[in-house]
Amino acid sequence: MPAPFSHSPASLAPSPFAPGDWVENPLAPDWGPGQVQSAVGPRVTVNFEHAGKQLVNINEVALSLLRQPKG
C-alpha cells in the first residue's frame, strides 16, 4: 500500500527558479514583475509588484525569467 502523501518523482524535480529571481507571468502582464520568494518543485511563490504574493504552478504557467525588474 502506498504512503498516503507520496509524491511522484516529477513533483520533486528541482525548480528552474530560485529565491531572488525576477520573473513575469505572461498570462497576467498587469501583475508586473515579481520576485521569487520560494521554489519547491513546480510550486513557485512570487511577490508581484501589482498582485502581491501568488503561488504559481509552473507546470501550468510558464513564468518568464527577467534579467532585472522592469519599471
Side-chain angles (χ1 to χ4, degrees), residues 34-61:
Q35 189 173 35
V36 174
Q37 304 298 299
S38 67
V40 179
R43 295 185 207 130
V44 180
T45 302
V46 183
N47 189 15
F48 288 98
E49 185 175 286
H50 302 295
K53 192 176 286 188
Q54 302 290 326
L55 179 61
V56 179
N57 182 337
I58 60 171
N59 289 334
E60 297 178 18
V61 177

